Amino acid sequence: MSLSALTIQAAETVESHGEPAVSPYFIGAIALGILLFLLLALITFGGGREHS
């Protein structure tokens, strides 16, 4: 199959499915929570150190 035929087939497959199994907002909230936790850990860990 050519690349264009594969692209068309993939687009048709995506269009035939309904809603995603997991909400994108849920995934985004989890990613934001992880990043904020890591930022807090970085600030907490580096807070007591002197700059050289």
Side-chain angles (χ1 to χ4, degrees), residues 18-37:
E19 293 291 320
V22 179
S23 172
Y25 293 109
F26 182 69
I27 300 296
I30 290 175
L32 180 62
I34 291 171
L35 291 174
L36 288 176
F37 172 75

Side-chain angles (χ1 to χ4, degrees), residues 31-50:
L32 180 62
I34 291 171
L35 291 174
L36 288 176
F37 172 75
L38 291 174
L39 181 63
L40 180 67
L42 178 66
I43 291 171
T44 303
F45 178 73
R49 294 177 175 244
E50 296 182 15

